[in-house]
Amino acid sequence: MSTYYPGQTLQSIKGNLSGDATPETISLEVFQINDNGEAFAKLVVRNSAGEIVAESPEVTDIRDPRAMGVFDWGTYELRAAGAIDCGTPSVYVAVPRSDVRPEVYAIWRWDEMGQTLEYEAKRCLVTAGGAEFHWAPLPQDYGNDSSWIESMQNESGAQAPGEVEGVIVHYYKVGGSTKVDRNSAKFRVSAGGLKVIG
């Protein structure tokens, strides 16, 4: 029997999508359980009064890139909200991974006029050299010496954050051994990506 149920909130974060004085609450909420006990979820945005102002579509086809939830291969996780990869405030949801590879974010754009969330794409933050990381599709071969950002957070909840936090993962080989280093860092939002500032 599934431990999940329709209406259950899996996770919530604060983020100022609308740009007014108070941030919205963005939640990942279960809307359907399948025969295997897996939970399909959607994004729900509520204003400070608790009123629903936007929802993502209810998608139950796991082949659809908009599908989210808790499945036997992993759990989708809310990471951040704000204008982190462009001028449009968005919600960033981490896609489950089965091994060591760049964390991929499903990006949902906030449409203030239509009060909707629209799926944009799946992107990851990979090294562009030095302290720069850029948004890119998940590479099929990310090499034996690669770095990326995971666990990205906009802790300020600002609509247009100047800084975000996260973890830099460095994946490399020494001799015949694979090494993985992880270090927390702060980043400045820049054109096309993030730049390490501390």
Side-chain angles (χ1 to χ4, degrees):
M1 185 174 180
S2 177
T3 57
Y4 302 101
Y5 56 88
Q8 179 181 5
T9 298
L10 299 174
Q11 186 183 4
S12 292
I13 61 172
K14 294 284 188 180
N16 195 333
L17 298 174
S18 61
D20 60 13
T22 56
E24 286 74 36
T25 298
I26 303 119
S27 301
L28 195 59
E29 297 185 6
V30 176
F31 66 87
Q32 184 173 311
I33 310 299
N34 68 13
D35 293 339
N36 297 322
E38 297 172 318
F40 288 94
K42 63 182 176 181
L43 294 169
V44 179
V45 180
R46 290 181 173 83
N47 62 20
S48 58
E51 301 165 331
I52 295 176
V53 295
E55 297 178 89
S56 64
E58 296 186 352
V59 179
T60 57
D61 183 350
I62 59 174
R63 297 165 297 182
D64 190 314
R66 301 172 300 165
M68 297 177 284
V70 181
F71 307 108
D72 59 3
W73 66 88
T75 302
Y76 283 72
E77 296 184 19
L78 273 171
R79 287 289 192 235
I84 295 172
D85 71 315
C86 70
T88 305
S90 304
V91 178
Y92 303 83
V93 183
V95 176
R97 294 171 291 173
S98 58
D99 55 16
V100 179
R101 65 178 62 202
E103 182 167 73
V104 175
Y105 303 95
I107 302 172
W108 291 83
R109 301 285 187 221
W110 166 257
D111 178 359
E112 187 172 0
M113 295 298 293
Q115 297 280 286
T116 60
L117 289 169
E118 296 184 2
Y119 175 77
E120 176 79 12
K122 288 182 178 173
R123 296 282 185 266
C124 53
L125 283 159
V126 295
T127 183
E132 300 278 353
F133 290 80
H134 67 275
W135 289 98
L138 178 64
Q140 294 301 309
D141 180 7
Y142 48 93
N144 293 329
D145 188 4
S146 302
S147 296
W148 59 82
I149 296 172
E150 65 182 31
S151 302
M152 177 182 66
Q153 297 180 49
N154 170 18
E155 291 196 346
S156 70
Q159 183 186 42
E163 298 178 7
V164 297
E165 298 183 4
V167 174
I168 298 174
V169 178
H170 183 202
Y171 172 87
Y172 60 102
K173 289 190 176 181
V174 177
S177 300
T178 299
K179 304 288 185 181
V180 180
D181 294 334
R182 288 182 167 86
N183 295 288
S184 298
K186 291 185 177 181
F187 308 89
R188 178 178 295 114
V189 178
S190 59
L194 301 179
K195 182 175 183 178
V196 180
I197 58 172

